[in-house]
Amino acid sequence: MRDQEPVPRDADRRLSTKEAAELLGVKPETVYAYVSRGQLSSRRVTGGRGSTFDAGEVEALARRNKRESAGSSGSGGELSVRTRITLIESDRYYFRGVNAVDLAARHTYEEVAEWLWTGRMRPGATFTAPADSVAVARRAVEALPEHAAPTDLLRVATIAAATADPLRFDLSEEAVLGTARTLIPTLVAALPPVRHDRRDEGPLAHRLWTRLSGQDADEASLRALDTALALLVDHDLAASTLAVRVAASARAHAYAAVSAGLGVIEGPLHGAASGLAHRLLLDVLDQGDAAPVIADELRAGRRIPGLGHRLYPGEDPRARALFTLLERIPRAEPALLAARDIVETTARHAPLHANVDLALAVLTTSCGMPSTAGETVFAVARTAGWIAHTLEEYGERPLRMRPSGLYAGPKPPQPLPE
């Protein structure tokens, strides 16, 4: 049988090279490239020069290639996931079609979270943590070393809270929403207080303040913190959110999905970026001039934190909204001037706008918070977004977040190692 002749689709379901190429939508040469990479197996035709291929393997590879093609954007081949939660375009971003900055300006963090989860607004929404969940989470957090990072505390608190919830494996929407409304306040309650008057009631931002700052909270500062939480609640498919959706795709419960997100945000390019901007601001405030500080950063080969964002060619709308609120806080003026100095100094060579990390750093430095405070704010805020994506992923086909590796190693079979 020659290579050009079709192979009957009998019980063995063998395809010729031509048929395999047509099914895959590639040239015959590419079919053999798949064989050399171990993605297809072939069988020589008895008495001929052609090869045949298992139809099931070819069809599976065709489906996989189609999924990878559908999951790639036209600019750079990045993974795309259909979502109804957040849209980012033209230097703006939207939660379920509504301008996110407007939502954060008019509603509390809890109300924005409810909108993200359900598409319905619940005026006056508050989150309450169960006493047993808080007790378990606090005991777990208190057992950690004093130098433990905020995300360490929050991850441990999340796992502890999960063990106290016998219904955590219920993945129904109602059950997951119940988890969301209790997990977030549990995380805040589990954090050690800076002030003696630990607050466990009232708006979440008020409770979080006592875990971040020893200063008295005026209304403008609390409003800025609450708005920061609402602005950071979600930002499309960031690295941590992708990790959450992968976990949810495998039908991990909501606590485990949140834990997956917390494991990703420690990187300096994600949740920890505001801490780097915080320390940069302190250096500028200490020296009174951004120029020598920026020069030292560049000399050390480090990028300047708090500037630019790959999704916003222009200004980060979250930074603009937060800076507007910070301008109403007198004690924030020195840090605001330092941030402006950083932007203007770097603009001589790289015209980058301030991003939300720099705005968050102004909030944390001017309110007597540690450099890790921004990471805490980010993690608490984003937990609501992770829950929204978890719920959305539960409605998709299980295990769909399973890409195929493009093997580039030695061609098998290789001999056993000595």
Side-chain angles (χ1 to χ4, degrees), residues 91-114:
D91 289 341
R92 291 181 174 84
Y93 72 123
Y94 305 85
F95 293 154
R96 296 190 180 277
V98 179
N99 187 292
V101 172
D102 291 342
L103 273 173
R106 292 170 173 77
H107 297 279
T108 66
Y109 166 70
E110 293 94 319
E111 291 170 344
V112 173
E114 289 285 350

Side-chain angles (χ1 to χ4, degrees), residues 1-8 14-20 32 43-53:
M1 184 181 294
R2 294 187 177 277
D3 191 43
Q4 290 82 5
E5 297 175 358
V7 178
R14 307 296 299 178
L15 303 179
S16 69
T17 303
K18 180 181 178 182
E19 288 176 317
Y32 290 105
R43 183 188 303 168
R44 298 289 295 180
V45 175
T46 304
R49 294 186 299 175
S51 297
T52 63
F53 304 86

Side-chain angles (χ1 to χ4, degrees), residues 87-174:
L87 169 68
I88 301 174
E89 65 175 10
S90 304
D91 289 341
R92 291 181 174 84
Y93 72 123
Y94 305 85
F95 293 154
R96 296 190 180 277
V98 179
N99 187 292
V101 172
D102 291 342
L103 273 173
R106 292 170 173 77
H107 297 279
T108 66
Y109 166 70
E110 293 94 319
E111 291 170 344
V112 173
E114 289 285 350
W115 171 257
L116 209 65
W117 296 333
T118 66
R120 299 185 297 274
M121 187 57 66
R122 289 182 59 204
T126 57
F127 300 156
T128 304
D132 56 346
S133 178
V134 171
V136 170
R138 280 180 179 168
R139 284 198 300 271
V141 166
E142 288 166 359
L144 295 176
E146 289 186 8
H147 62 264
T151 45
D152 295 328
L153 307 183
L154 294 171
R155 267 204 310 272
V156 168
T158 300
I159 295 168
T163 65
D165 183 1
L167 303 180
R168 62 187 179 278
F169 296 105
D170 184 347
L171 306 187
S172 66
E173 180 177 351
E174 183 180 1

Side-chain angles (χ1 to χ4, degrees), residues 293-304 346 349:
V293 177
I294 297 298
D296 286 343
E297 291 291 309
L298 296 176
R299 185 180 298 115
R302 293 188 291 266
R303 63 186 293 273
I304 308 304
T346 55
H349 303 289

Side-chain angles (χ1 to χ4, degrees), residues 192-241:
V194 177
R195 302 167 60 93
H196 293 299
D197 56 334
R198 171 157 46 191
R199 187 166 184 171
D200 290 325
E201 297 178 350
L204 195 84
H206 296 205
R207 287 177 257 173
L208 183 58
W209 181 277
T210 63
R211 272 78 177 177
L212 299 177
S213 176
Q215 296 182 3
D216 291 329
D218 57 85
E219 193 58 38
S221 297
L222 287 171
R223 179 58 186 153
L225 178 58
D226 185 65
T227 302
L229 289 166
L231 291 168
L232 292 167
V233 70
D234 190 55
H235 206 233
D236 193 33
L237 221 66
S240 57
T241 305

Side-chain angles (χ1 to χ4, degrees), residues 260-286:
L262 288 168
V264 174
I265 66 167
E266 283 193 280
L269 301 182
H270 197 15
S274 65
L276 300 177
H278 178 107
R279 287 186 283 271
L280 180 73
L281 268 180
L282 290 181
D283 288 343
V284 174
L285 288 168
D286 183 56

